[in-house]
Amino acid sequence: MKSLLLSCFFLMLIAIVKSQSFVCTQKSDSLFFSYNGRQVFGAKLISSSSESFSAQKLSQRIGNKSFEMVAVHAADGKAFELQGIVRSIGQSMACESDAREGGLRVVRHSYGNAISTLDNAVYCRNEDWLLSFDLAFPNLSIAADAKTGYMVKSHGSEIIIRFRPHYYRDHRDLKYFDPSKYEVWKKPVVGWSSWFAYFDKVSEYDVHKTADALSTKLVPFGLEYLQVDDGYQQVPIGMPNSWLQSNSKFPSGLSKLAGYIQSKGMKPAIWTNVSFADASAAQQHAALFVKDPQNKPAKGNWVGYVMDGSNPATIQQLISPVYKGLRDSGWQYFKLDALRHLRYEGYNSFAGYFEKKKYDRAEAFRNVVKEVRKQVGKDHFLLACWGIRPELTGIADGCRIGNDGYSYAGLAQFNSYNNIVWRNDPDHIELSPREAYRSCVATSLTGSLFMVTDKAELYEQSPLVEAARRSIPVLFTLPGQVYDVDPSRSELIGQADIELSGSGPRPFDAGTATTTALFALDVAKPFENWLVLGRLNENDKHIPLRDLGLDPSKRYHVFEFWTKQYMGNVEKAFVPPVIDSVFGCQVFCFREVQSHPQTLATNRHISCGALELQQVNWQNNQLTGVSEVVQGDVYEIYIYEPEGFQLETVGCTGATIVKQDKKGMVRTITLQPAGKSTVEWTVKYK
């Protein structure tokens, strides 16, 4: 009996040790953090006046949120230095952990292993943890290292470190977030939607005409999808054939339409929704629907008869055939609409039905979308629409975060979700004189879903198409903040479970009014780091460099992309000029001043070279580069030449030099690609 009790005791002890997933160990002048049995942080503590250190530790749980805090001090109370390595696995990023007091509100994203002076934390998506420091630049620096993770240096008399496990799942209240089970869609998502162009009057002729225009005007620049929206299906919407057999406006059928889109170099994309409007079919197949208190097929506003996601027969008969059929017909992108109405007017409004069945209505809702995901396959893009849908985390590739109409505010209200939880969809971009450039800039710099929606004639005739050309494809960015710049919507995300009506935006859905007009993209390429800043209005007239994450003690060249104007070099702060009314916004590129000729930007993409510059090098009085260009598109390189450098020759392979001239300190080299996608160029100085 005694040995049995001892065995039970040791088993309990092992279980307790295993449950302690976070462990902090201090050994003399070293500090180590382990999580789930793996070392995630190791540091050396250095002091010129003390050889011993203390580490106070606190583990606290508030609700479902776990906090692990460590405060480090030298024995003599004086300042000391911490040099450490944060070891993450898989997708990770340096970032800001919490909003700062004061300063400009800037939505930050990064491309590559970019590091900013604003960063005070490392987020590891694969394990969903956040490690942060209660210090700021210049007392803290984080640098990416491809082999080891992130190098951290901090200095102070007290260094406080915070570790937050299950950060997005628990601290951000996304209970379905499990990154071990899915990856974010990393390829660019750029396309055209028929909705605002033609609404439900769209026809086969309209789609053909638009495909013809897009194939020459935008496909070469990175547009990939053509999405047919509401208007092709049979009405009333009901049984699978109402989706699979197109109406008289599409006489050739959906399979041939998909083939035509593909013949023009695009991937076919299609809209569907989860409503069911056919009353006779609902009565005939009553067992497939949720029941109202009178035991009849339940009906709700916008959703019609409520398909029962808790019934396997409903999934098999009403969901599976639609999406298998569309995929088999060649469709490769799926916009799934009316989801909020299925949840609110459908499952929440008839909660008693699910209570009686003892079935979780959120799981019933997820069952429907899981089946769509299964049938379309993980290799095809799935967009959840409309309004924020946290229950679909891990199922949908993208989410339309707000109502119909482009949402600038949403890019600041859910900036931390983008490309971590899913790809944010701010809704379609209309290339109007007022909004074209502004919408394209905000969408591209945040790496969001980019879908234009105009009639074919605009792409053929209007110069506004240039706004889209220079903004696509979007780069796969990561958020620079794991908090939302405007938290007013995401802090209410828990309320997404409790609504009874989806008619109109709810307090947790993305808004439309501009929350902030500043969107920054930190770029890290193997040869150089720089920052791109989009400014959408005149509100911020004085921009401190520290608020952009730039070192205020250094000087930076500033180049405006749309007007192709050099703004000079600045330190500490930048005062932007008045916005040109032709564009309605500005895109500034900040590059640290070098002592030799250097690239300022190119004309290919608003990232100022991040997209197409494969290599840039200064050596032996030569500036050389390799660029991926668009065939037939004139390519321009803007180079700053300091005093004392005299041009000798300009050469290139894969293109013809159209001209090269100099204005002030900036030389513009214009190349015409000669049928090749790669151009190598050399600028030699005496």
Side-chain angles (χ1 to χ4, degrees):
M1 184 66 178
K2 185 177 179 181
S3 62
L4 178 61
L5 288 172
L6 284 171
S7 297
C8 291
F9 171 77
F10 283 119
L11 286 173
M12 289 175 63
L13 183 61
I14 292 170
I16 290 170
V17 170
K18 285 186 176 179
S19 70
Q20 294 175 343
S21 57
F22 176 83
V23 178
C24 171
T25 305
Q26 187 213 341
K27 295 180 180 179
S28 177
D29 60 351
S30 299
L31 187 68
F32 302 96
F33 292 176
S34 293
Y35 182 61
N36 289 339
R38 186 181 72 83
Q39 184 178 310
V40 297
F41 178 62
K44 192 80 172 173
L45 308 174
I46 304 168
S47 171
S48 60
S49 59
S50 177
E51 294 183 357
S52 61
F53 302 83
S54 63
Q56 286 79 43
K57 309 162 194 175
L58 175 65
S59 295
Q60 185 75 37
R61 192 168 182 86
I62 302 175
N64 65 332
K65 301 175 177 63
S66 294
F67 299 83
E68 305 287 349
M69 288 157 284
V70 178
V72 186
H73 304 85
D76 61 3
K78 294 183 179 180
F80 65 99
E81 186 171 298
L82 178 150
Q83 296 182 2
I85 299 174
V86 180
R87 301 181 185 275
S88 60
I89 59 174
Q91 184 180 345
S92 61
M93 62 192 189
C95 57
E96 285 182 270
S97 63
D98 302 279
R100 296 168 295 123
E101 290 188 14
L104 300 177
R105 295 208 296 176
V106 184
V107 175
R108 295 180 50 228
H109 282 74
S110 65
Y111 176 65
N113 253 331
I115 300 293
S116 166
T117 62
L118 296 173
D119 296 335
N120 74 312
V122 172
Y123 174 69
C124 176
R125 182 183 184 275
N126 286 55
E127 297 177 320
D128 192 25
W129 53 255
L130 180 71
L131 189 152
S132 64
F133 297 81
D134 284 12
L135 289 167
F137 177 84
N139 293 322
L140 174 70
S141 67
I142 299 177
D145 185 296
K147 294 182 180 180
T148 58
Y150 296 86
M151 309 293 292
V152 177
K153 290 184 179 181
S154 57
H155 183 269
S157 59
E158 176 183 66
I159 297 176
I160 297 177
I161 312 170
R162 301 174 188 269
F163 186 85
R164 285 172 263 187
H166 300 299
Y167 180 75
Y168 274 84
R169 191 192 74 179
D170 296 343
H171 293 261
R172 299 301 309 279
D173 294 323
L174 292 171
K175 64 182 179 181
Y176 293 103
F177 183 71
D178 185 352
S180 68
K181 294 182 178 178
Y182 80 103
E183 292 186 0
V184 177
W185 187 280
K186 292 184 172 63
K187 294 178 288 186
V189 184
V190 179
W192 175 87
S193 171
S194 65
W195 182 240
F196 278 104
Y198 300 102
F199 294 102
D200 60 358
K201 303 299 188 290
V202 65
S203 68
E204 183 178 291
Y205 171 79
D206 297 324
V207 174
H208 281 197
K209 186 176 180 181
T210 305
D212 294 344
L214 294 173
S215 67
T216 59
K217 302 301 182 182
L218 284 174
V219 169
F221 293 85
L223 186 137
E224 188 174 12
Y225 296 99
L226 188 154
Q227 184 240 310
V228 181
D229 215 282
D230 186 0
Y232 70 88
Q233 73 279 10
Q234 298 279 349
V235 292
I237 296 170
M239 299 303 286
N241 271 348
S242 65
W243 294 108
L244 300 175
Q245 302 296 323
S246 55
N247 59 41
S248 60
K249 294 188 284 118
F250 292 80
S252 300
L254 295 181
S255 182
K256 287 188 176 179
L257 183 63
Y260 189 85
I261 294 169
Q262 286 180 305
S263 74
K264 295 297 179 177
M266 288 168 283
K267 294 179 179 178
I270 199 162
W271 169 92
T272 60
N273 72 21
V274 291
S275 64
F276 195 105
D278 189 335
S280 62
Q283 298 301 325
Q284 185 179 354
H285 301 277
L288 305 180
F289 297 87
V290 170
K291 300 301 186 297
D292 65 15
Q294 289 74 45
N295 203 35
K296 295 180 180 180
K299 190 177 182 182
N301 190 28
W302 294 100
V303 74
Y305 296 93
V306 184
M307 295 185 288
D308 184 2
S310 69
N311 185 352
T314 303
I315 300 296
Q316 183 180 1
Q317 295 178 42
L318 300 184
I319 305 299
S320 303
V322 174
Y323 297 95
K324 182 181 185 303
L326 290 174
R327 175 171 179 149
D328 290 348
S329 296
W331 299 88
Q332 301 179 42
Y333 170 120
F334 298 83
K335 176 182 176 183
L336 188 60
D337 209 348
L339 287 167
R340 68 193 289 107
H341 301 297
L342 181 63
R343 182 72 202 274
Y344 298 154
E345 284 90 344
Y347 297 169
N348 285 6
S349 294
F350 297 94
Y353 171 80
F354 294 98
E355 291 170 4
K356 188 176 180 180
K357 289 186 71 173
K358 297 182 179 179
Y359 202 101
D360 185 341
R361 62 183 185 273
E363 284 303 317
F365 177 67
R366 282 169 58 84
N367 288 346
V368 172
V369 187
K370 281 181 179 179
E371 185 62 20
V372 176
R373 169 90 279 169
K374 175 183 174 182
Q375 294 301 329
V376 305
K378 291 185 178 180
D379 55 336
H380 292 160
F381 192 83
L382 176 60
L383 174 67
C385 189
W386 65 273
I388 206 76
R389 292 266 50 94
E391 322 94 309
L392 301 182
T393 299
I395 303 175
D397 297 305
C399 183
R400 239 280 299 291
I401 54 179
N403 200 351
D404 276 4
Y406 188 84
S407 175
Y408 291 105
L411 298 176
Q413 291 164 341
F414 292 98
N415 56 282
S416 67
Y417 285 34
N418 196 35
N419 297 334
I420 294 292
V421 180
W422 52 45
R423 293 198 90 129
N424 283 348
D425 175 19
D427 205 11
H428 311 141
I429 296 170
E430 295 180 88
L431 297 183
S432 67
R434 171 174 169 74
E435 299 299 336
Y437 287 90
R438 298 174 75 243
S439 300
C440 287
V441 166
T443 308
S444 186
L445 292 183
T446 55
S448 304
L449 200 75
F450 192 112
M451 301 290 283
V452 292
T453 177
D454 307 278
K455 292 185 177 180
E457 292 79 8
L458 184 141
Y459 307 121
E460 294 281 9
Q461 302 168 10
S462 174
L464 292 172
V465 73
E466 190 71 358
R469 280 178 179 163
R470 303 304 161 191
S471 303
I472 62 173
V474 297
L475 303 173
F476 181 73
T477 67
L478 291 174
Q481 300 125 322
V482 290
Y483 64 88
D484 293 317
V485 171
D486 173 5
S488 62
R489 306 305 172 99
S490 59
E491 69 182 5
L492 303 176
I493 198 67
Q495 296 183 23
D497 279 342
I498 62 174
E499 294 290 332
L500 295 175
S501 171
S503 299
R506 292 296 178 256
F508 44 81
D509 289 321
T512 54
T514 304
T515 298
T516 177
L518 298 177
F519 294 85
L521 177 65
D522 287 295
V523 176
K525 299 282 280 189
F527 53 85
E528 188 183 1
N529 296 350
W530 65 91
L531 180 136
V532 180
L533 177 69
R535 179 175 180 249
L536 307 188
N537 63 32
E538 299 278 4
N539 290 352
D540 299 299
K541 300 180 185 299
H542 182 267
I543 301 176
L545 297 188
R546 67 172 180 271
D547 289 349
L548 302 180
L550 299 174
D551 187 339
S553 67
K554 296 180 179 179
R555 297 197 71 86
Y556 296 87
H557 292 300
V558 186
F559 184 86
E560 204 287 308
F561 179 83
W562 295 121
T563 59
K564 307 299 186 287
Q565 295 294 311
Y566 176 62
M567 301 285 120
N569 62 72
V570 299
E571 64 177 346
K572 295 184 179 178
F574 171 59
V575 179
V578 173
I579 293 175
D580 191 317
S581 60
V582 172
F583 305 106
C585 65
Q586 294 163 322
V587 174
F588 298 107
C589 180
F590 292 78
R591 276 183 157 94
E592 187 178 338
V593 172
Q594 304 296 325
S595 60
H596 55 73
Q598 63 185 109
T599 53
L600 295 173
T602 70
N603 73 328
R604 167 63 189 95
H605 192 267
I606 62 171
S607 61
C608 298
L611 173 70
E612 88 288 354
L613 284 176
Q614 304 302 304
Q615 180 182 324
V616 176
N617 186 44
W618 171 259
Q619 192 173 10
N620 299 327
N621 268 8
Q622 291 187 125
L623 186 66
T624 60
V626 178
S627 303
E628 297 290 330
V629 297
V630 177
Q631 294 186 27
D633 182 50
V634 171
Y635 184 63
E636 294 181 338
I637 308 164
Y638 309 99
I639 299 172
Y640 181 85
E641 296 179 348
E643 292 184 3
F645 287 88
Q646 184 178 352
L647 180 70
E648 184 172 314
T649 59
V650 176
C652 69
T653 59
T656 302
I657 301 172
V658 177
K659 64 177 179 178
Q660 56 89 12
D661 52 26
K662 187 174 181 180
K663 182 179 180 181
M665 308 298 286
V666 178
R667 185 174 301 279
T668 302
I669 298 173
T670 306
L671 306 177
Q672 180 68 59
K676 293 185 178 181
S677 60
T678 301
V679 171
E680 298 179 11
W681 46 270
T682 302
V683 186
K684 188 175 182 181
Y685 295 88
K686 293 181 180 179

